[in-house]
Amino acid sequence: MSISTSIEETLTSLEKEISVADLGSDEAIEEFRIRFLGKKQGSITGLMKRIPDVDPADRRAFGQRVNELKAVAQARIQKAQVAQGPGVAGTSDVDYSLPGRVPARGSLHPLTETYRLITRVFESYGFSIEEGPEIEDDWHNFTALNFPPNHPARDMQDTFFIEQPTQKHDGILLRTHTSPVQIRVMLDSEPPFRVIVPGRVYRNEAISYKSYCLFHQVEGLYVDEGVSMGDLKHILHVFARELFGEDVVMRFRPSFFPFTEPSAEVDIWWKDDNMPGGGRWLEILGCGMVDPNVLESVGVDPEKYTGYAFGMGIERIAMLRYGIDDIRILYENDERFLSQFD
Ligand code: DAH
């Protein structure tokens, strides 16, 4: 099989032209492409169009030669483009001028953000972070914290029991607050104690816009010689200023917790011009001086040591800070909500 001499000559001269063409600039490359491979008038394109007209005996060999030529021309273009460098629109499949793709970036959950903010304030005052188990026994969760045996909080309405307490065995439950970690910390070492305890707690409550079956608390405990209610007020004032601004207005309101005496709740003044009176008091935490009975239950001498404790709900503070009015949205992982916290 041989291709007719005239076609052979055309192919050879094209081959030569392709191999010697100067592709030293973007324009030259583009000219070369149009001349040989252009859709309408490119000479190689022209030859390809002629394949069906070639004598069947020669067609195969001819087609092969033309394809080889095309490959050589394309290779030259590619090589020349690389040599020219990036950024040449129209001469490359890659448009280097397009903006890059920004990878999707996660963000901290508002609860994590709030938790970090809270713990950072106390860490800067020398508190260390402790953690305790979420599955707790009745003794740590209630008894050691001076809950009388028939206190309403022990009621099954509030507590998820894993094992009911019996005459012989202590009950096992999902902790209802982070306060049992106070007991674990004090049993574990010697005073002074200065800890904060973040963690998840569980309550068997009806789920609504303001309560959920699980939530998060941060507990604080400081026990040493001569710790006073004045120290408690000071640290909580510092804390409130850090979280709600320098001019935050707060008040201590007498309250009751079995494990503190005296006990108080702290409210902050929430300014709202749309409300009658220009705002309202909002409770942010419970606190008090550690009850001597609690110190005794862990073998700390209440004649020598005094201490304060406090506990707050992280959800509540996050909701105040971010103006969230339904607690459930914090657990739904709805991206439309979460992406607002970038
Ligand atoms: N444990 C209490 C609760 O879950 C909060 C609390 C109040 C913790 C007073 C304290 C405290 O340490 O002193 O509602």
Side-chain angles (χ1 to χ4, degrees):
M1 271 191 283
S2 74
I3 308 168
S4 77
T5 344
S6 75
I7 291 183
E8 181 59 52
E9 270 167 18
T10 315
L11 287 170
T12 318
S13 84
L14 267 182
E15 222 162 46
K16 184 137 189 239
E17 277 179 61
I18 287 170
S19 64
V20 299
D22 173 18
L23 300 185
S25 71
D26 296 332
E27 294 74 31
I29 296 172
E30 185 57 5
E31 243 170 62
F32 176 92
R33 189 188 65 78
I34 294 170
R35 181 165 155 218
F36 294 102
L37 299 167
K39 277 208 172 66
K40 285 194 185 132
Q41 282 160 17
S43 23
I44 296 176
T45 319
L47 287 176
M48 303 209 66
K49 283 184 190 151
R50 281 170 57 190
I51 295 175
D53 307 328
V54 175
D55 184 342
D58 297 342
R59 203 177 286 156
R60 193 184 148 88
F62 176 73
Q64 228 163 34
R65 289 290 303 277
V66 177
N67 272 320
E68 274 163 22
L69 261 189
K70 187 180 173 189
V72 171
Q74 280 172 337
R76 279 222 64 194
I77 290 177
Q78 218 168 34
K79 220 168 150 187
Q81 277 173 344
V82 172
Q84 283 302 306
V88 192
T91 56
S92 157
D93 288 345
V94 180
D95 183 348
Y96 295 95
S97 66
L98 279 177
R101 286 196 194 125
V102 183
R105 194 164 49 91
S107 58
L108 290 179
H109 192 279
L111 284 180
T112 311
E113 196 101 57
T114 310
Y115 149 75
R116 289 197 181 173
L117 199 68
I118 296 171
T119 50
R120 211 175 296 142
V121 176
F122 290 107
E123 276 182 306
S124 71
Y125 275 79
F127 286 73
S128 59
I129 297 185
E130 291 290 338
E131 284 183 6
E134 290 177 25
I135 297 176
E136 196 43 287
D137 56 51
D138 191 279
W139 188 80
H140 286 87
N141 197 79
F142 293 130
T143 312
L145 287 164
N146 199 33
F147 278 77
N150 46 10
H151 193 276
R154 289 173 174 243
D155 196 294
M156 281 194 57
Q157 297 294 308
D158 299 321
T159 309
F160 288 111
F161 278 99
I162 293 170
E163 277 174 32
Q164 285 290 327
T166 64
Q167 297 252 300
K168 280 196 191 144
H169 296 287
D170 208 14
I172 308 286
L173 44 85
L174 295 179
R175 67 178 176 194
T176 57
H177 51 175
T178 41
S179 304
V181 189
Q182 289 187 28
I183 302 299
R184 292 187 174 274
V185 166
M186 289 194 283
L187 283 173
D188 256 16
S189 57
E190 298 296 317
F193 308 109
R194 197 198 279 244
V195 296
I196 42 168
V197 183
R200 187 174 281 182
V201 303
Y202 300 83
R203 301 244 175 117
N204 193 358
E205 279 178 8
I207 291 172
S208 74
Y209 72 94
K210 62 179 171 144
S211 56
Y212 204 68
C213 52
L214 66 87
F215 56 100
H216 300 79
Q217 290 188 330
V218 173
E219 187 84 13
L221 174 73
Y222 178 34
V223 175
D224 201 348
E225 290 181 43
V227 177
S228 72
M229 190 90 180
D231 297 326
L232 172 62
K233 281 188 154 180
H234 171 251
I235 191 80
L236 291 180
H237 197 200
V238 167
F239 165 75
R241 280 209 306 256
E242 286 284 341
L243 253 84
F244 299 104
E246 276 300 303
D247 50 358
V248 67
V249 177
M250 63 186 280
R251 71 175 182 191
F252 278 66
R253 185 169 33 80
S255 184
F256 172 79
F257 299 103
F259 36 91
T260 44
E261 181 57 37
S263 305
E265 277 171 314
V266 171
D267 302 332
I268 57 165
W269 179 250
W270 197 256
K271 257 175 95 161
D272 185 346
D273 293 335
N274 296 324
M275 291 186 99
R280 60 183 167 138
W281 290 105
L282 287 175
E283 180 215 317
I284 56 163
L285 58 86
C287 62
M289 299 305 291
V290 180
D291 192 298
N293 288 343
V294 173
L295 295 177
E296 259 165 24
S297 74
V298 292
V300 172
D301 181 0
E303 295 296 326
K304 187 171 177 203
Y305 294 102
T306 51
Y308 63 67
F310 55 85
M312 66 189 91
I314 302 182
E315 277 78 355
R316 187 168 179 79
I317 292 178
M319 288 166 79
L320 282 176
R321 280 178 55 84
Y322 298 116
I324 298 165
D325 53 14
D326 189 329
I327 193 170
R328 291 168 292 196
I329 202 163
L330 291 167
Y331 308 109
E332 282 167 1
N333 282 335
D334 186 325
E335 236 185 88
R336 289 167 301 178
F337 168 70
L338 294 177
S339 62
Q340 296 172 53
F341 297 91
D342 273 356

